[in-house]
């Protein structure tokens, strides 16, 4: 590894660790405590995990839904039923330079309303290690159907697997 590459890696790790600290500070103490004690991955492992999981995701049949309003997203998430008790997933925000966290899926679903927030720009990706189960929820400006008002904020959820 040359000096420039090594310096870039050090800078990315620093940004990711700073992002982790800021994210923990944006959460309630009970949530921050669980995430603070969880496994997390920074560069270069972060990129390896994300690329591997996105490759697995690309081979899945995905259900895509669009929503107007956060409440509809929360209702969609609350309807997930068949989640095994000890099912671990990787969680990250594509829009934030933070680390990838390894968390319990049921805990993530139960706390989704607090985990999906302004800090991570309303963007979370949740994928099992084998890529067979996942959820991507993000915010974007746009319109649904014939409503061409472009200043609305809309949400997109993609899910596959058990949930």
């Amino acid at each position: 590894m040359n000096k420039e590459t090594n310096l870039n890696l050090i800078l990315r790790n620093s940004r990711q660790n700073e992002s982790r600290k800021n994210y923990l500070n944006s959460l309630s103490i009970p949530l921050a405590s669980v995430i603070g004690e969880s496994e997390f991955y920074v560069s270069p492992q972060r990129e390896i995990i994300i690329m591997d999981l996105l490759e697995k995701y690309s081979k899945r049949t995905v259900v895509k839904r669009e929503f107007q309003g956060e409440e509809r997203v929360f209702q969609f998430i609350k309807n997930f039923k068949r989640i095994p008790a000890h099912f671990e997933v990787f969680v990250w925000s594509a829009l934030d330079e933070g680390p990838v966290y390894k968390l319990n899926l049921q805990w993530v679903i139960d706390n989704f309303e607090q985990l999906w927030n302004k800090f991570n720009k309303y963007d979370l990706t949740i994928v099992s290690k084998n890529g067979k189960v996942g959820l991507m929820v993000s915010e974007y400006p746009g319109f649904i159907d014939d409503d061409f008002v472009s200043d609305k904020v809309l949400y997109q959820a993609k899910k596959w697997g058990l949930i």
Side-chain angles (χ1 to χ4, degrees), residues 16-146:
Q16 291 164 3
N17 282 310
E18 183 69 21
S19 175
R20 178 175 186 269
K21 181 179 133 197
N22 292 336
Y23 185 52
L24 292 174
N25 288 335
S26 78
L27 298 171
S28 67
I29 292 172
L31 269 64
S33 176
V34 171
I35 292 179
E37 294 173 5
S38 71
E39 288 182 47
F40 69 97
Y41 305 90
V42 295
S43 295
Q45 293 86 359
R46 176 188 189 272
E47 289 77 13
I48 292 167
I49 290 168
I50 290 172
M51 294 308 293
D52 178 56
L53 294 175
L54 290 180
E55 181 182 335
K56 291 173 182 173
Y57 153 76
S58 70
K59 299 173 184 171
R60 295 270 153 236
T61 300
V62 175
V63 174
K64 180 177 144 184
R65 297 279 310 270
E66 293 179 330
F67 303 96
Q68 292 179 339
E70 293 174 21
E71 286 306 315
R72 291 189 179 182
V73 174
F74 298 145
Q75 242 352 88
F76 179 72
I77 303 295
K78 287 177 186 174
N79 287 330
F80 298 158
K81 306 238 185 302
R82 302 177 306 167
I83 300 174
H86 301 289
F87 200 85
E88 290 193 326
V89 291
F90 293 101
V91 179
W92 74 91
S93 171
L95 299 177
D96 176 47
E97 293 186 49
V100 171
Y101 300 96
K102 189 173 185 182
L103 299 164
N104 176 276
L105 177 59
Q106 186 64 59
W107 184 86
V108 172
I109 297 302
D110 290 346
N111 294 286
F112 185 82
E113 289 184 37
Q114 290 84 32
L115 298 173
W116 185 64
N117 61 30
K118 287 180 188 175
F119 181 80
N120 53 40
K121 299 170 182 71
Y122 296 98
D123 177 84
L124 274 184
T125 300
I126 303 161
V127 184
S128 64
K129 185 174 184 174
N130 63 10
K132 292 183 179 181
V133 174
L135 173 69
M136 295 176 171
V137 185
S138 54
E139 170 186 273
Y140 66 97
F143 55 88
I144 295 177
D145 299 328
D146 295 331

Side-chain angles (χ1 to χ4, degrees), residues 143-161:
F143 55 88
I144 295 177
D145 299 328
D146 295 331
D147 185 0
F148 293 104
V149 178
S150 64
D151 61 346
K152 289 186 178 180
V153 174
L154 303 176
Y155 303 94
Q156 182 179 79
K158 296 177 182 179
K159 74 172 191 125
W160 63 96

